[in-house]
Amino acid sequence: MPTTLDLEIAAAAYKVARDLTGLKQGESFLITIDSMGYWRLAEETAKAAEALGAKVMVAYHTTPPGYGKVGDPYLPDSLKAAIPETDVWVEYNNQWLLYSTPWEIALTNPERVRYLFLGGLNEDQFVRCVGKVDLDLQREFQTTLVNMTLNGKKMRITNSAGTDVSFENVPGRPVTNEGWALEPGAHFLIGQIGWAPLEESIKGTIAFNGSFSGGGEADLGILKEPVLFHVENGVCRGITGGAEANFLKGWFTRLEDPLMYHAAHVCYGFNPGARLSGLCTEDERVWGSTEWGFGYQGPFFEGQGNNAISHVDGICLDSSVWIDGQQIMDEGRLTHSKLADLAAKMGKQ
Amino acid sequence: MPTSLDLEVAVASHKVVRDLCAVKVGESLLVTVDSAGSFRIAEEVAKAGEVAGAKVMLAWHSTPVGVGKVGEKYLPDALLAAIPNTDVWIEVNNQWLGYSTPYENALVPPRRVRYLCLDGLNEERIVRLIGKVDLRAQDAFQRKVLELTKQARMMRITTPAGTNVSFENDLKRPVISELWCHSPGAHFLLGQIAWAPIEKSINGEIVFDGAFYGGEPADLPALDEPITFHVQEGVCVEISGGAEARFVRDWIRSLNDANMYHEAHICYGFNPGARLSGICVEDERIWGVTEWGFGHQGIQFEASGVPAVSHLDGICLNSSVWQDGVHVLDRGRVVHPELVALASSLGK
């Protein structure tokens, strides 16, 4: 008996297996999903992979009580052994295995595993953020913007909530183009472009007016009032705003790690289906947003490699962006002609 | 929304995890089920594992084409790696992974993994074959059969279909009574007592009149006509019967492995809930059957250890058994005086 979104989930799942992971006949295909995740996504992706001729396994497992290494002691040994031994791994976990020990074994100096992180998505988010996306247009849009950003030196970002921050890019540092898991390594949901600017060049005000995710009690979800980070030389020197800002100020203090105040990365959000939902994976891809991370800096950014105790992400909605003085986006609408044309074709202008 | 047998399946699953496997807090529990198997059972067993405080993983995977090493090339690498790395492995597959390389890595020799094979069970079967069985009464009955069999040297088995085979036991070899999965090693659904006779002593006709299972394409449930294996010194030298016998003859020949003709084990079937239903795991446990395996010989039998590319099993219904001349079973009914009351307590 069909139920809601059955066909849409099947179509999205097939896109994941065929297009996003480039799955080939005879490859080993692993899907992980914990008991808090959305099983239908895993099941439909398994069906798609089977149809493509892969050797498929879904690992449905006990939900660990936290992300990454925090969950290590709670994972079944079979899962730890399975993860590094596959050609493709798609993760639908609610409590992510990303950055856990088996993840590191599989993906540090990756030689085999093509990993696609789709953690936390529910059926509706999966359909909107994967199934309904025109992958050809998306790829052209993202690649154009990645190349512009790679070539850009001086950046400025503002938004109506009070963001006004400028910084410099470092030639040679990567700009990630997320969506496709076509080569070994860690890959993430479509519609995010991220990089680490020259840390000490970042100065100004970053006004988070979308959502804020810091893990545990600092997962604030959708913000009631903007939270402002005042940044000098890449370091947050003050947090202002309302009750949520006051809470965060205390939370940062309790962490007793000065490295948590250091800016780690900036990202553009450009998933045409993403809506502000309170789930970081979706929110940081809301079209026209920018997102800033503070604290631990992932090694794939090839930045200074700040090794803080944790990591936070905040979303600035409807951003305006200038690259070397040329405005490419105005309050979330693309103004650069090529990007604007592509965005129009994607229904986003 | 509840569906048919929901409560009964839950009860049976808890019996599997708590009683049969004695899963302890913090242990790693792996449940494997292929896409032809019953996911509902696997899911309920996983839930029971979570309730028991285990770290649970349910591996739902592509169905291999065939059993044992024949199916290996169809298995995802993650599954091969997962199987040896667990405290308890409960297999609910349709095409079983027994005797495959990951199985051997996990269980030969047994070090850590307690493996319980529940292959091919659907919801109705797990309720009949586990959920409804009085485990204490079953344990008492099987202990007595085990005790009698361990002491028996000269054996003879007949059936109304024409089986007439005799053989000798090696009293040093183990007689395996399948019920509990409390120690590292391979364990199977309750109600089976198995051993490997002295191979060269086996002579006579073995007439399979229940079912025949060799894995796809040689799974032949509900045989139209009996298939007779003519055995000399433990080796099948001829297969006779009708169309199914000819098919089996051709299929074994196609495997290109002379060891497939070697007798591997014999079993008694004593599960009070089992009926002829078309799956090997159940059919070989029908009360009062004998079952013969040919081909790969599991290491648990501590016998000649003949390796073969695959393994087949055939069922002889309504068996009569004599142990050292003492009548134990008469056309499927327990007649040994020390067993009759114990069988009665199981409704048999």
Side-chain angles (χ1 to χ4, degrees):
Chain A
M1 170 87 81
T3 184
T4 178
L5 291 175
D6 261 3
L7 300 184
E8 290 82 354
I9 291 169
Y14 203 77
K15 266 180 154 171
V16 167
R18 182 192 56 194
D19 302 324
L20 298 185
T21 72
L23 185 62
K24 293 182 281 293
Q25 187 155 6
E27 285 194 312
S28 285
F29 188 80
L30 171 66
I31 299 163
T32 58
I33 179 159
D34 58 23
S35 58
M36 282 180 69
Y38 289 86
W39 169 257
R40 279 172 77 195
L41 310 190
E43 181 178 349
E44 293 304 318
T45 305
K47 290 179 190 171
E50 187 81 13
L52 290 165
K55 298 183 281 191
V56 183
M57 170 171 142
V58 181
Y60 168 73
H61 62 88
T62 303
T63 303
Y67 302 147
K69 286 195 173 65
V70 171
D72 273 2
Y74 304 91
L75 300 178
D77 292 346
S78 288
L79 183 66
K80 296 176 188 172
I83 283 172
E85 299 295 332
T86 189
D87 298 303
V88 179
W89 169 21
V90 177
E91 177 173 6
Y92 287 117
N93 291 58
N94 178 288
Q95 295 294 300
W96 311 325
L97 301 172
L98 176 70
Y99 304 141
S100 67
T101 298
W103 183 91
E104 285 187 342
I105 292 169
L107 291 155
T108 304
N109 304 317
E111 290 180 353
R112 179 184 184 193
V113 181
R114 311 199 297 279
Y115 165 76
L116 182 60
F117 174 81
L118 299 176
L121 296 185
N122 64 21
E123 290 93 341
D124 172 61
Q125 289 164 331
F126 185 57
V127 170
R128 280 192 283 105
C129 296
V130 178
K132 299 294 188 192
V133 177
D134 181 322
L135 294 180
D136 290 337
L137 283 173
Q138 185 73 23
R139 183 117 179 155
E140 190 178 355
F141 179 91
Q142 287 190 201
T143 304
T144 302
L145 184 51
V146 164
N147 289 334
M148 289 170 61
T149 307
L150 277 169
N151 293 326
K153 180 99 176 123
K154 291 189 174 302
M155 305 286 301
R156 182 178 170 224
I157 300 175
T158 68
N159 78 354
S160 61
T163 296
D164 193 346
V165 61
S166 59
F167 54 88
E168 287 179 26
N169 291 338
V170 181
R173 285 191 186 177
V175 176
T176 64
N177 189 357
E178 294 305 345
W180 291 263
L182 302 178
E183 64 275 338
H187 305 278
F188 298 85
L189 176 66
I190 297 164
Q192 188 175 52
I193 292 165
W195 72 102
L198 179 64
E199 288 78 359
E200 57 268 29
S201 74
I202 305 167
K203 60 172 184 281
T205 301
I206 298 170
F208 300 125
N209 61 340
S211 63
F212 190 93
S213 167
E217 58 182 350
D219 264 344
L220 302 183
I222 298 172
L223 294 168
K224 296 182 181 70
E225 295 175 84
V227 173
L228 278 65
F229 275 35
H230 303 277
V231 180
E232 292 173 19
N233 300 324
V235 179
C236 175
R237 301 291 185 193
I239 300 173
T240 60
E244 291 154 320
N246 284 335
F247 169 81
L248 280 180
K249 210 153 47 181
W251 181 77
F252 269 85
T253 304
R254 288 196 297 278
L255 287 182
E256 295 184 336
D257 183 357
L259 295 178
M260 281 300 297
Y261 294 96
H262 286 241
H265 63 73
V266 62
C267 301
Y268 303 132
F270 282 116
N271 186 306
R275 299 178 195 151
L276 199 65
S277 66
L279 175 73
C280 183
T281 302
E282 179 171 18
D283 291 352
E284 64 191 4
R285 287 165 175 81
V286 170
W287 190 273
S289 70
T290 49
E291 181 253 358
W292 288 87
F294 282 77
Y296 179 84
Q297 188 180 53
F300 36 82
F301 289 118
E302 298 177 23
Q304 289 175 359
N306 176 19
N307 193 21
I309 192 171
S310 190
H311 182 90
V312 300
D313 294 289
I315 317 296
C316 305
L317 298 173
D318 298 324
S319 297
S320 301
V321 175
W322 288 261
I323 301 177
D324 291 331
Q326 182 191 9
Q327 187 170 13
I328 64 157
M329 187 159 69
D330 181 45
E331 296 189 2
R333 291 189 77 228
L334 277 308
T335 53
H336 181 277
S337 60
K338 183 176 180 187
L339 292 173
D341 286 348
L342 288 166
K345 289 178 188 168
M346 297 157 79
K348 299 305 290 188
Q349 280 294 91
Chain B
M1 169 88 82
T3 185
S4 173
L5 292 175
D6 260 3
L7 299 184
E8 291 83 353
V9 171
V11 168
S13 299
H14 280 279
K15 265 180 146 169
V16 166
V17 168
R18 182 192 57 210
D19 301 327
L20 298 185
C21 295
V23 171
K24 293 182 280 296
V25 173
E27 285 195 312
S28 286
L29 169 64
L30 171 66
V31 183
T32 60
V33 58
D34 58 25
S35 58
S38 168
F39 188 83
R40 234 177 113 195
I41 291 176
E43 184 180 357
E44 292 303 318
V45 170
K47 288 180 191 171
E50 190 80 12
V51 169
K55 297 183 280 190
V56 181
M57 170 170 147
L58 190 170
W60 182 60
H61 61 87
S62 301
T63 303
V65 183
V67 300
K69 287 197 168 63
V70 170
E72 235 167 76
K73 60 186 173 185
Y74 304 96
L75 299 178
D77 293 347
L79 182 66
L80 307 182
I83 285 172
N85 286 287
T86 188
D87 299 301
V88 178
W89 169 24
I90 299 171
E91 183 180 3
V92 194
N93 290 56
N94 178 289
Q95 294 293 302
W96 69 311
L97 301 171
Y99 302 148
S100 65
T101 299
Y103 170 97
E104 289 183 342
N105 288 342
L107 293 159
V108 183
R111 289 177 296 267
R112 175 189 181 191
V113 180
R114 312 199 297 279
Y115 164 78
L116 181 61
C117 176
L118 299 178
D119 287 346
L121 298 191
N122 62 16
E123 292 83 348
E124 194 258 336
R125 288 181 183 123
I126 197 172
V127 171
R128 272 194 290 109
L129 302 174
I130 296 174
K132 300 292 188 192
V133 176
D134 179 332
L135 295 181
R136 270 194 193 178
Q138 185 72 22
D139 186 47
F141 176 81
Q142 289 192 204
R143 279 176 190 274
K144 181 53 74 176
V145 175
L146 184 68
E147 180 190 322
L148 296 172
T149 307
K150 274 181 156 177
Q151 297 166 1
R153 184 175 287 279
M154 304 306 296
M155 304 286 301
R156 183 174 168 232
I157 299 175
T158 67
T159 65
T163 295
N164 190 356
V165 62
S166 58
F167 55 89
E168 189 178 343
N169 290 336
D170 178 345
L171 300 187
K172 291 192 288 296
R173 291 184 183 180
V175 179
I176 301 161
S177 178
E178 297 299 349
L179 177 54
W180 311 112
C181 180
H182 293 172
S183 55
H187 305 280
F188 297 84
L189 176 64
L190 62 91
Q192 188 176 55
I193 291 166
W195 71 101
I198 297 169
E199 288 79 0
K200 285 198 173 303
S201 74
I202 307 167
N203 287 290
E205 278 73 50
I206 299 171
V207 182
F208 301 128
D209 59 338
F212 182 94
Y213 296 100
E216 289 296 338
D219 278 342
L220 306 173
L223 292 169
D224 293 331
E225 295 176 82
I227 299 172
T228 302
F229 273 37
H230 302 266
V231 178
Q232 290 176 9
E233 298 186 351
V235 178
C236 174
V237 295
E238 188 188 346
I239 299 170
S240 64
E244 289 155 322
R246 287 193 292 279
F247 174 82
V248 167
R249 199 160 48 203
D250 292 345
W251 172 72
I252 296 178
R253 192 181 298 136
S254 75
L255 294 178
N256 285 323
D257 184 351
N259 285 347
M260 282 300 296
Y261 296 97
H262 284 246
E263 197 280 336
H265 62 72
I266 179 168
C267 306
Y268 295 139
F270 283 123
N271 186 306
R275 303 173 194 152
L276 196 65
S277 73
I279 69 158
C280 184
V281 168
E282 178 166 13
D283 292 351
E284 66 188 6
R285 286 165 176 77
I286 293 170
W287 194 274
V289 304
T290 47
E291 179 258 355
W292 292 85
F294 283 78
H296 190 87
Q297 188 179 54
I299 191 164
Q300 67 270 28
F301 293 114
E302 299 178 20
S304 301
V306 172
V309 70
S310 193
H311 182 87
L312 61 88
D313 295 288
I315 319 293
C316 306
L317 299 172
N318 303 313
S319 295
S320 300
V321 175
W322 290 264
Q323 294 181 337
D324 290 329
V326 178
H327 204 176
V328 176
L329 268 181
D330 181 51
R331 281 176 280 180
R333 290 196 68 221
V334 172
V335 293
H336 192 287
E338 292 185 62
L339 290 173
V340 169
L342 293 169
S344 292
S345 70
L346 288 160
K348 303 304 282 189

